[in-house]
Amino acid sequence: MSAHDITSLIDRHRDGDARAFELLVDRVYADLKVLARRQLRKGQRGGTMSTTAVVNEAFLKLSADERAAWRDRSHFFAVAATAMRQILVDHARWHARAKRGGPDRPVALDDVDHALGVTHEAEKLLALDAALRRLAEAEAQAARVLECRYFLGLSEAETAAALEVSERTVQRAWRRAKIFLADELS
């Protein structure tokens, strides 16, 4: 389905057509699974969430937002990527809470190495999320560029179109975001 067709469904949804969101889900589900798989690879290696669970949770978040005003396909995917990142961060917080004596969850001895790996990945994801929040406070545009480039995997041109800025602006913001994160996470 073309970007124009998806944007048309988004427009229909915004105009109150309830069926349009269902059609949108059908059309973009496979693309969102690719996006979720990418986010799981980057933020939660060996984690306990499946790609399908992340996509389904994201759709629940997206459908609950009655004020959704997605402009087009790129904007929809940017919002979906943010929702997925929030889901993974919430999941990571749950793991961190469990590590600090939160809700007991029995772990078999054979699973100890796996459980420790998941906790370590959860801590890294929480650190990345905290750094991204600080970046958003310091430089909102750089944070949006980072989300589009890193979490969505958009090219510079696609990021520029999604954010309605020039490619040169994206390049500068991307460079600032990488420097900021390197400083924050070192």
Side-chain angles (χ1 to χ4, degrees):
M1 178 169 238
S2 74
H4 175 72
D5 293 336
I6 291 172
T7 299
S8 175
L9 287 173
I10 289 169
D11 290 341
R12 286 176 42 199
H13 171 66
R14 191 175 41 240
D15 292 340
D17 181 350
R19 176 86 174 111
F21 186 75
E22 294 174 25
L23 292 171
L24 180 64
V25 169
D26 289 342
R27 299 308 190 306
V28 300
Y29 192 83
D31 292 332
L32 287 179
K33 282 191 85 160
V34 169
L35 178 59
R37 206 170 297 117
R38 183 180 301 137
Q39 288 203 22
L40 284 167
R41 264 196 320 268
K42 287 181 179 178
Q44 193 186 12
R45 291 173 194 86
T48 58
M49 283 196 84
S50 71
T51 301
T52 301
V54 172
V55 172
N56 291 343
E57 289 284 328
F59 274 124
L60 288 174
K61 262 182 167 310
L62 294 171
S63 67
D65 186 6
E66 294 181 14
R67 299 164 301 156
W70 311 304
R71 291 185 306 272
D72 54 24
R73 179 188 181 280
S74 295
H75 187 234
F76 172 81
F77 277 97
V79 172
T82 300
M84 288 181 198
R85 185 176 60 82
Q86 290 168 348
I87 289 161
L88 293 174
V89 166
D90 289 345
H91 190 69
R93 281 192 183 111
W94 183 87
H95 275 287
R97 223 178 7 258
K99 177 186 173 194
R100 291 188 305 270
D104 289 336
R105 218 179 81 211
V107 177
L109 289 177
D110 293 341
D111 294 336
V112 169
D113 287 338
H114 173 73
L116 291 174
V118 168
T119 299
H120 180 67
E121 292 302 326
E123 290 170 352
K124 287 187 344 189
L125 183 59
L126 290 174
L128 176 61
D129 181 62
L132 187 54
R133 287 174 198 257
R134 287 189 295 275
L135 176 61
E137 289 173 9
E139 292 195 53
Q141 186 175 59
R144 287 191 305 274
V145 166
L146 179 108
E147 284 187 328
C148 289
R149 296 294 320 274
Y150 183 78
F151 291 106
L152 272 175
L154 297 181
S155 68
E156 288 178 356
E158 292 167 327
T159 300
L163 299 178
E164 298 176 341
V165 296
S166 71
E167 283 186 52
R168 184 70 183 124
T169 299
V170 168
Q171 292 166 352
R172 285 190 301 264
W174 179 234
R175 200 169 26 257
R176 288 191 315 270
K178 290 190 295 186
I179 291 168
F180 184 92
L181 284 181
D183 288 344
E184 288 286 312
L185 297 175
S186 63

